[in-house]
């Protein structure tokens, strides 16, 4: 069902339905330890696995993780190759576990620059887990928010659509199946969106932490959710217009 935060007021809930994370700080985590950057990416991957499990246990319905941006191709070739081989290995090794746990996997972004092996694995993983009813894990890889909006608009033009609406645009975005993120988290200390889900972050609660991604452990996730719970999501209304705690329960 199409729900837009600029057209509908969402019900308040204690656990965000959708969490979107920019997992930043792997390189600096390694550098602090005089290790190569790629060691930080490996440790970061362990934290990805833990975070997926924690979110699933908490009842989060959608978790979207920014793994590789359209701009990350600008990195040194060795690092890009390492990240691509880690992505492939993760798809080969971890998908069966996701499936056993009833998780649905989606990968959003352009796929043209991935090897055919990676593309095949993505397609197989999505098909295998498509009917699962647990947490939907979305990996944003070769993802850019601007490109996402452009590809959506171009799809609509190709369909001959005369007038673009919020509904038609949202339904042509890569992550059309997910509600907009309630909580956006960025680790690593930078206060920016870095071309992540530009359209969908319109009314998300933003949470920035200096913790580096490999240090984002259980307590850190709970801190982010606690911060979210304290937010007053007004969606343009005044405080006085919000339902009281009593009316909500
Ligand atoms: C995030 O960590 C992971 C990717 C972008 C793939 P970084 O690699 O950006 O780590 P820092 O920001 O250099 O510490
Ligand atoms: C954002 O991290 C992208 C991912 C986490 C995949 P970056 O480290 O690439 O972001 P910028 O370029 O510093 O903003
Ligand atoms: Mg970074």
């Amino acid at each position: 069902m199409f729900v837009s935060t600029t057209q509908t007021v969402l019900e308040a809930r204690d656990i965000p339905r959708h969490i979107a994370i920019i997992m930043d700080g792997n390189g600096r985590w390694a550098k602090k330890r005089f290790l190569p950057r790629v060691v930080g990416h490996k440790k970061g991957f362990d934290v990805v696995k833990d975070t997926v499990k924690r979110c699933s246990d908490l009842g989060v319905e959608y978790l979207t993780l920014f793994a590789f941006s359209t701009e990350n191709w600008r990195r040194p070739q060795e690092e890009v190759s390492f990240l691509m081989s880690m992505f492939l290995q993760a798809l080969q090794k971890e998908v069966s576990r996701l499936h056993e746990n009833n998780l649905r996997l989606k990968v959003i972004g352009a796929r043209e620059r991935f090897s055919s092996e990676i593309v095949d694995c993505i397609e197989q993983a999505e098909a295998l887990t498509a009917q699962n009813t647990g947490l939907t894990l979305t990996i944003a890889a070769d993802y850019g928010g601007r490109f996402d909006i452009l590809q959506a608009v171009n799809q609509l033009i190709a369909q001959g659509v005369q007038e673009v609406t919020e509904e038609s645009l949202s339904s042509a975005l890569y992550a059309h199946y997910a509600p907009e993120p309630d909580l956006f988290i960025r680790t690593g200390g930078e206060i920016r969106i870095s071309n992540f889900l530009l359209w969908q972050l319109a009314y998300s609660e933003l949470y920035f932490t200096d913790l580096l991604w490999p240090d984002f452990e259980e307590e850190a996730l709970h801190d982010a959710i606690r911060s979210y719970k304290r937010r007053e999501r007004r969606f343009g209304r005044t405080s006085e217009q919000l339902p009281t705690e009593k009316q909500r329960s």
Side-chain angles (χ1 to χ4, degrees):
M1 195 192 58
F2 170 71
V3 178
S4 156
T5 50
T6 43
Q7 295 182 356
T8 313
V9 168
L10 298 186
E11 244 175 66
R13 25 167 114 211
D14 284 346
I15 297 292
R17 188 168 175 219
H18 183 177
I19 301 181
I21 310 183
I22 298 188
M23 311 180 290
D24 196 18
N26 292 349
R28 278 163 285 163
W29 184 91
K31 198 172 169 195
K32 263 172 54 183
R33 289 164 179 76
F34 305 101
L35 295 166
R37 292 177 56 83
V38 295
V39 180
H41 293 316
K42 271 194 207 156
K43 176 70 173 51
F45 181 54
D46 293 337
V47 177
V48 167
K49 288 188 277 188
D50 294 342
T51 304
V52 172
K53 165 117 192 18
R54 285 171 194 144
C55 285
S56 171
D57 291 348
L58 284 167
V60 172
E61 292 172 46
Y62 297 85
L63 175 65
T64 302
L65 302 177
F66 205 3
F68 194 88
S69 71
T70 46
E71 291 70 41
N72 287 145
W73 295 106
R74 298 171 181 158
R75 291 195 176 195
Q77 210 249 314
E78 306 81 59
E79 183 168 341
V80 171
S81 304
F82 180 87
L83 289 167
M84 288 303 134
S85 64
M86 211 173 86
F87 187 30
L88 179 62
Q89 268 187 33
L91 287 164
Q92 287 167 336
K93 285 196 191 157
E94 303 298 331
V95 170
S96 53
R97 205 188 335 243
L98 293 181
H99 186 47
E100 278 163 27
N101 289 306
N102 194 30
L103 269 66
R104 182 163 71 131
L105 181 74
K106 296 273 196 185
V107 178
I108 55 169
R111 296 184 185 172
E112 286 78 24
R113 285 190 270 189
F114 293 149
S115 67
S116 55
E117 219 181 346
I118 291 183
V119 175
D120 289 348
C121 280
I122 293 173
E123 286 171 0
Q124 283 165 22
E126 287 186 334
L128 177 73
T129 61
Q131 304 306 323
N132 292 346
T133 53
L135 178 138
T136 298
L137 170 64
T138 300
I139 302 295
D142 196 5
Y143 179 85
R146 286 192 177 174
F147 182 79
D148 192 0
I149 294 170
L150 289 176
Q151 68 78 30
V153 171
N154 285 324
Q155 262 186 63
L156 299 175
I157 292 172
Q159 288 163 16
V161 168
Q162 292 299 311
E163 193 192 327
V164 179
T165 61
E166 275 208 20
E167 183 163 10
S168 62
L169 185 75
S170 301
S171 65
L173 292 172
Y174 285 123
H176 56 85
Y177 51 83
E180 294 170 34
D182 301 292
L183 172 62
F184 159 95
I185 299 173
R186 180 172 188 144
T187 62
E190 312 298 350
I191 317 287
R192 54 178 176 247
I193 307 282
S194 297
N195 200 16
F196 197 22
L197 303 160
L198 295 179
W199 175 268
Q200 295 96 325
L201 290 174
Y203 255 117
S204 305
E205 296 300 328
L206 307 181
Y207 180 86
F208 296 92
T209 168
D210 288 335
L211 280 175
L212 302 174
W213 176 250
D215 294 325
F216 193 76
E217 289 177 351
E218 186 158 21
E219 206 37 46
L221 176 65
H222 287 149
D223 283 348
I225 294 175
R226 263 195 295 274
S227 165
Y228 169 81
K229 277 188 207 172
R230 288 196 299 267
R231 308 282 177 95
E232 194 176 77
R233 302 194 77 189
R234 291 193 288 275
F235 299 107
R237 299 165 299 171
T238 66
S239 281
E240 291 69 29
Q241 289 174 290
L242 304 188
T244 59
E245 198 69 43
K246 226 177 175 177
Q247 289 168 327
R248 276 172 54 191
S249 51

